[in-house]
Amino acid sequence: MKFVVAVASLRNQWKLTGNCQMIPLGKGFFIIKLDNEIGMRYVWNGYWMVETQALKLREWEPTFNPAAQKVTTTFVWIHFPGLGMEYWKEKIIMDLGERFGRAIKVDETTLKREVWYYASVLVEVDLLRYIPNQIVVKTKYWSFTQEVQIPQVPKFCSHCKVVGHLASECRTNNDNFKFGREQTRKEIKQWRPKEKSKTGFDICFTNEEKAMEQQVYDLLVSEDEVIDDVVPPLLYTEEKLDSIMDKQFTLDIQKDFPLLSAEKLLNVASVTFQMPSKTTENVSSGSI
């Protein structure tokens, strides 16, 4: 914003009886020089907006250097919940606000006493100073503790001491900036492409192949159990088997397996179709 724009806006708002001079200092600062104390109190106690920005006032001080100044003040609404009705007067509430900074004005709702939840006053506070959450109010006859609430406190950087951002968002905080860069570099160095899964050799089975082998084994075992139900196993020991294998068998086909006549074959066939064999029943009952 140009300085001439700010001067024109303030002159239109102020209703002064005496002369007023504004001297620019640079970096957004300027001196307001008045020729009477009434005009000074009028400007000091007011809340002035220049377009969308609020005018912040401070007392004059010698050896003022605009380049070395940091804006640490801001406007906040201070609430006094539970304050008694007898204290809801503009002068009393302004005096309470002066404990925190430069009291600007009392809320219109408080002056009209439309809402009794809390009394509210606009104060320009310095965020470098400690703001208590309660104060002691002394009267002529007694004293009491009054709770203090500030619903909206703007961001304040504890590193560069400037209103508008936090220390974690500060660009001049080299420690945070370097830490962020180091974290980014570590993430880039630690990143690696995913390795492809290794397949096993024929003699080195993987977990999947072992699981398939176990399934096949279980299936074969279950089939062997069914086969044992259908065809009972040979109940021979190793000695009996050796003795049987040592003997030589000679078979006479005509004697041991005589030829059957046609009538006997027909009888056997008719009996077989009428009555199912025990082997067939066992096979059907033992199916999986």
Side-chain angles (χ1 to χ4, degrees):
M1 183 185 302
K2 294 182 179 181
F3 175 69
V4 293
V5 176
V7 171
S9 176
L10 292 174
R11 288 188 181 277
N12 292 331
Q13 298 181 59
W14 293 344
K15 300 177 181 179
L16 302 173
T17 56
N19 295 326
C20 175
Q21 183 181 3
M22 300 183 192
I23 306 171
L25 300 176
K27 300 292 183 180
F29 292 93
F30 58 93
I31 294 176
I32 302 174
K33 188 177 179 180
L34 304 166
D35 60 356
N36 59 78
E37 187 176 355
I38 297 175
M40 188 271 292
R41 294 295 175 188
Y42 172 77
V43 174
W44 179 262
N45 295 328
Y47 178 66
W48 314 108
M49 293 291 297
V50 181
E51 294 185 355
T52 59
Q53 300 182 27
L55 176 66
K56 296 180 180 180
L57 300 175
R58 56 190 299 178
E59 294 180 351
W60 177 87
E61 59 188 42
T63 65
F64 180 81
N65 185 7
Q69 302 301 317
K70 294 182 179 180
V71 180
T72 60
T73 60
T74 185
F75 295 96
V76 296
W77 286 98
I78 297 180
H79 297 170
F80 302 104
L83 184 64
M85 296 187 214
E86 61 273 21
Y87 303 104
W88 282 52
K89 298 178 181 180
E90 184 177 8
K91 184 179 183 306
I92 295 177
I93 297 175
M94 289 289 288
D95 290 341
L96 294 177
E98 287 291 337
R99 295 193 182 187
F100 303 92
R102 185 171 67 94
I104 306 299
K105 63 177 181 178
V106 179
D107 185 24
E108 293 294 333
T109 305
T110 302
L111 294 177
K112 295 178 181 179
R113 301 183 180 183
E114 295 177 350
V115 180
W116 293 92
Y117 295 122
Y118 52 80
S120 182
V121 58
L122 182 65
V123 182
E124 184 181 7
V125 298
D126 190 351
L127 296 181
L128 286 178
R129 297 173 53 187
Y130 171 71
I131 302 176
N133 55 7
Q134 60 182 8
I135 57 175
V136 177
V137 180
K138 294 182 180 180
T139 65
K140 184 178 180 180
Y141 302 101
W142 60 78
S143 63
F144 61 93
T145 301
Q146 174 61 48
E147 182 184 357
V148 177
Q149 294 180 353
I150 303 178
Q152 294 181 353
V153 179
K155 295 181 180 180
F156 180 73
C157 178
S158 59
H159 175 73
C160 62
K161 305 298 186 296
V162 173
V163 179
H165 64 271
L166 299 175
S168 58
E169 304 169 351
C170 183
R171 296 182 179 179
T172 61
N173 192 347
N174 295 327
D175 295 336
N176 290 343
F177 183 70
K178 291 180 180 178
F179 177 75
R181 290 179 61 183
E182 290 177 358
Q183 288 294 109
T184 306
R185 290 177 181 176
K186 287 181 180 180
E187 292 177 359
I188 294 174
K189 289 182 179 180
Q190 292 178 356
W191 183 85
R192 292 290 185 277
K194 294 183 179 180
E195 296 181 357
K196 296 181 180 180
S197 58
K198 298 180 180 180
T199 57
F201 295 98
D202 295 338
I203 59 175
C204 298
F205 297 103
T206 60
N207 295 332
E208 296 180 358
E209 293 173 346
K210 289 181 179 179
M212 293 176 62
E213 182 182 0
Q214 185 65 30
Q215 293 179 2
V216 174
Y217 175 77
D218 296 339
L219 182 60
L220 290 176
V221 170
S222 60
E223 289 180 354
D224 291 341
E225 293 175 356
V226 175
I227 293 172
D228 292 341
D229 291 338
V230 178
V231 181
L234 297 175
L235 301 177
Y236 291 106
T237 60
E238 293 182 0
E239 297 178 356
K240 290 184 178 182
L241 289 174
D242 293 339
S243 61
I244 293 172
M245 295 298 294
D246 292 339
K247 295 181 182 179
Q248 295 181 358
F249 295 94
T250 55
L251 298 176
D252 189 354
I253 296 176
Q254 293 182 357
K255 181 178 180 182
D256 295 333
F257 300 97
L259 298 174
L260 298 177
S261 60
E263 295 179 359
K264 289 185 178 182
L265 288 174
L266 293 174
N267 292 332
V268 172
S270 61
V271 173
T272 302
F273 283 112
Q274 291 177 2
M275 298 182 63
S277 62
K278 185 177 181 181
T279 303
T280 307
E281 294 177 357
N282 289 335
V283 171
S284 61
S285 62
S287 61
I288 299 176

